[in-house]
Structures are given as structure tokens and as C-alpha cells.
Amino acid sequence: MTEITSEIDLGAVGVWRHSRTRPELAVEVERLGYGTLWLGNVTDPDLAVVEELLDATERLVVATGIVNIWSNPAERVARAYRRIAERHADRFLLGVGAGHPEATKEFVRPYQALNDYLDVLDKEGVPVARRALAALGPRVLRLAAERTAAAHPYLVTPEHTRQARGILGAGPLLAPEQKVVLETDRTRARAVGDATLGMYLGLRNYVSNLRRLGFDDTDFADGGSDRLFDALILHGDPARLAEGLRAHLDAGADHVTLQLLHSDDTDPLPAYRELAAALGLRTR
């Protein structure tokens, strides 16, 4: 198999946000030295938010994590990619994925559906070296290595990252997501993170992946055990969070993207600033 490498420099650390992210936040993320802004659950196949954020910044890479293949027609996404790439080709990574069977009535034969979607992207001229695939299990990780430049695992541990690197080989880019709560007290951290964790424990693809990593029914009961919470949602002071993020890089990731969990009425920028300093990012 010919190894595919990314033509886009994501930097070592990125920020994962929902797709309603404001341009002014993207500007600050760039200034703080984060390499990439990942946008989750992009529902507009015309990718207007991607273009808006790229237009507002100068060096920041914007990646979709992910564009759902069931709700975003590949031809339309490809047209949007070409439009954006005319001005921002080196700063846009198109990440696609199959999502969750619980959320998609069309969820049938997802592996074949991913292949078919990638076939259309090929036909429509979306470069293999500028796209990524959401991947958890071995089969889709291998597909990411064969047909894209990057794998983007979500809700994983450094041990999953180590295993994923072994499956991918040396060439493809590995960019896991890691949730963090800037809080040293576990009880208060759980107050922030429990709703998020509980939501994912209702999705069988994530639970299946966690079983492969050694977790069991006792970890999934009652909103998740402390062991599971500690493994999936880093919490502590900035130094501890930085250490946990670097654990993915030490395990074989090329890039790790942090998802900051916080209450809805909390401004995330102070936490991004503290984490950037703890990670030694170069502020611009």
C-alpha cells in the first residue's frame, strides 16, 4: 500500500469546537499559537462557516471533524471544497465520517458508504492528501490510511492512539480529539463533563471502541465510572492537562485537538490562554 501523507501542517495542538464558532474566537485561537481549529458536526454542505473562519484568519488551519456523509451530499461538499481551496487550499482539511447509527436512519453498510463517498470526492477532484476520515476501529483506520491523509479518532485515550498508530503505519497523519476540563476537583469536573460523557455512552460505536480498550459494563453504568471519566475527560490544572495532551503525541499522534468542556455561561478564552502557555505554544 502506498502511504499517503498530508499536505497540510496542522501543528502539534489544535482546538475542537462546534460549527457555530465565531470568527473572533478563531482569530484568538490563531494568536495563541494553536495550529488548527476543528469544527464538529458541520451540517451545511456548502461549508460557509469554514470559509468564514479561514477568511478571518491568516495561518490557522480549519478542519471539519466531521462532515457527515449521510446528510451532506458528496458532490455538493466537493463543490464547496473547490471554492474554498481556490484561496485557502493549504489551510483546509476536509474531514468526513459516518457518524452514529442512533442519529441516522440511513445508517446502512457504513463501511461501503464511506468508500462510495470517497469515490465521489475522488471523481470531483478533492485531493486525497487534503482530506481526513473519522476512524475508531481497525477497519476504518485502515481505510483512512488507504484513502485519506489523516485519521481523526474521537473520544479516545492515549492507548487507543498507540494502537491506531500501529494500524495506520508511519505515513498517515493521526489527529485524536481529547476532552479537557480546567478543574482540579473531580466532583466539580464531573459536574461539567458528565452530561457530555453520558451522551456518548448512549452511542454504540463509542461503547464498542471503549470495550476494545478494556472498559466494561461497570464503567458504563450510572453515567460512567470515575475510571472511565478520568480516562476520557482530562481534568486538573493547566500543567496536568498539558501533560495529558502530550501523552497522545508520545503515543504516536502527529496532532492532538483539545475539546474544552465548560459551562455555557463561561468564556472559554481564559482557559485557552492558560493551556497555550502550559503547552509552550508560541503566541503571535
Side-chain angles (χ1 to χ4, degrees):
M1 180 181 69
T2 301
E3 289 186 344
I4 302 166
T5 56
S6 175
E7 295 177 350
I8 300 175
D9 182 6
L10 301 181
V13 184
V15 167
W16 192 101
R17 295 282 300 177
H18 53 71
S19 59
R20 301 182 301 280
T21 295
R22 306 182 314 276
E24 51 267 34
L25 188 144
V27 169
E28 182 66 7
V29 164
E30 177 180 66
R31 190 191 70 79
L32 291 171
Y34 295 101
T36 301
L37 179 61
W38 291 80
L39 300 178
N41 191 30
V42 177
T43 58
D44 171 19
D46 292 326
L47 307 179
V49 64
V50 173
E51 189 166 28
E52 180 183 39
L53 297 177
L54 287 169
D55 286 347
T57 54
E58 298 177 359
R59 296 168 298 275
L60 187 71
V61 172
V62 175
T64 54
I66 57 167
V67 169
N68 189 291
I69 65 169
W70 309 104
S71 55
N72 295 278
E75 293 88 349
R76 191 167 168 186
V77 170
R79 286 197 300 272
Y81 172 85
R82 293 195 303 269
R83 183 191 77 243
I84 296 168
E86 286 182 359
R87 293 186 296 124
H88 302 296
D90 293 335
R91 295 202 293 129
F92 177 30
L93 181 68
L94 176 64
V96 303
H100 322 294
E102 293 84 356
T104 307
K105 65 180 181 180
E106 299 88 355
F107 199 95
V108 178
R109 301 177 66 201
Y111 184 84
Q112 185 59 52
L114 284 169
N115 264 303
D116 293 346
Y117 200 93
L118 293 170
D119 284 344
V120 176
L121 295 185
D122 285 341
K123 181 181 177 182
E124 295 292 328
V126 178
V128 175
R130 298 176 187 272
R131 65 196 194 200
L133 187 63
L136 286 176
R139 195 179 186 201
V140 181
L141 282 165
R142 285 191 289 269
L143 182 64
E146 293 165 1
R147 304 208 55 190
T148 76
H152 177 47
Y154 186 94
L155 196 72
V156 294
T157 65
E159 174 57 24
H160 181 276
T161 295
R162 185 190 67 78
Q163 294 178 18
R165 175 50 72 200
I167 293 167
L168 290 170
L173 188 146
L174 178 56
E177 175 267 356
Q178 175 67 62
K179 292 172 178 55
V180 303
V181 177
L182 188 56
E183 173 55 66
T184 57
D185 180 86
R186 181 194 277 133
T187 300
R188 289 196 291 267
R190 292 212 64 157
V192 173
D194 270 353
T196 297
L197 180 59
M199 176 182 67
Y200 289 112
L201 293 182
L203 301 174
R204 65 178 181 264
N205 57 336
Y206 288 120
V207 171
S208 296
N209 187 59
L210 293 170
R211 289 189 189 281
R212 286 192 292 266
L213 292 171
F215 297 99
D216 57 33
D217 288 341
T218 62
D219 293 300
F220 307 138
D222 301 320
S225 66
D226 282 345
R227 178 174 85 114
L228 183 66
F229 186 90
D230 292 348
L232 295 178
I233 301 181
L234 295 175
H235 52 93
D237 61 19
R240 181 173 180 179
L241 298 186
E243 180 183 7
L245 292 164
R246 291 191 190 102
H248 284 280
L249 302 175
D250 293 341
D254 303 282
H255 170 91
V256 59
T257 181
L258 68 92
Q259 181 179 172
L260 177 68
L261 303 182
H262 57 89
S263 59
D264 291 341
D265 59 353
T266 300
D267 180 0
L269 284 178
Y272 288 140
R273 294 181 187 118
E274 291 186 63
L275 289 170
L279 288 160
L281 303 182
R282 181 182 298 176
T283 302
R284 295 181 174 91

